[in-house]
Every structure is written in structure tokens, then in C-alpha cells.
Amino acid sequence: MQGRFGHHALTDSVHFVVAVAADDHEVDRVVSGLSSGAFHRPAVAALRSHLAALQRFLDETDPATTPCAIVCEDDVMLHNDFAQRLDTTLA
């Protein structure tokens, strides 16, 4: 994943968050009240990981200089023009 962002010269703008495992005790707590809890484990773990990434963004950035964040899965594939399109979108 670092290589993918490096290819687009974005490594200085990227921060990685350790994923929450599907067997995490907090995932257990959430899925315990759901029918088919095992089925929901990966989705709940991914959601908790994304929430952790967003919390880190809120805690560690200044909205005046970093007004937004993009949260991606580790298998994200970026378009060849990703950096240019991102600049255009954020302009």
C-alpha cells in the first residue's frame, strides 16, 4: 500500500492505522447482540478501523491546513491520475 501511494508521490500525506482484528474483544461486544454475529465480524472490525482512522485525523490535524481525509482499505487500487484528480476535486 505504501508503494501505491509512493507511486503518486503522496507518502508525505498518508498515515496508516493498524486494523482492528475480527477477533478483537470490542468486536465481540458489538456482535454479541446480533443474529449471525460471526457473519458481521469482518464488517464490524473494518468499521472500527475506519472510525479509529477518522479519530486519529481529528486528533492530529489542523482543519485550517488539512480540511479532509480519505480512509481506504489496504487493498485500495488508485487510478493512474489519482493525485491530479484529487487536486482538482479539492480545489
Side-chain angles (χ1 to χ4, degrees):
M1 187 167 177
Q2 290 175 338
R4 292 179 192 150
F5 286 101
H7 174 76
H8 297 282
L10 294 170
T11 52
D12 291 342
S13 302
V14 175
H15 301 278
F16 295 95
V17 175
V18 176
V20 173
D23 62 354
D24 183 87
H25 72 280
E26 286 297 319
V27 172
D28 288 338
R29 186 181 60 78
V30 172
V31 299
S32 66
L34 302 173
S35 61
S36 304
F39 175 77
H40 297 289
R41 281 184 173 286
V44 170
L47 175 61
R48 290 190 54 77
S49 297
H50 290 190
L51 291 173
L54 290 171
Q55 188 64 58
R56 180 175 174 182
F57 169 75
L58 293 171
D59 291 344
E60 297 180 9
T61 59
D62 177 2
T65 58
T66 311
C68 63
I70 298 173
V71 177
C72 304
E73 286 293 314
D74 61 349
D75 58 353
V76 65
M77 297 299 291
L78 302 174
H79 190 278
N80 287 335
D81 294 333
F82 177 79
Q84 180 181 358
R85 289 177 181 210
L86 181 60
D87 286 342
T88 300
T89 301
L90 297 178

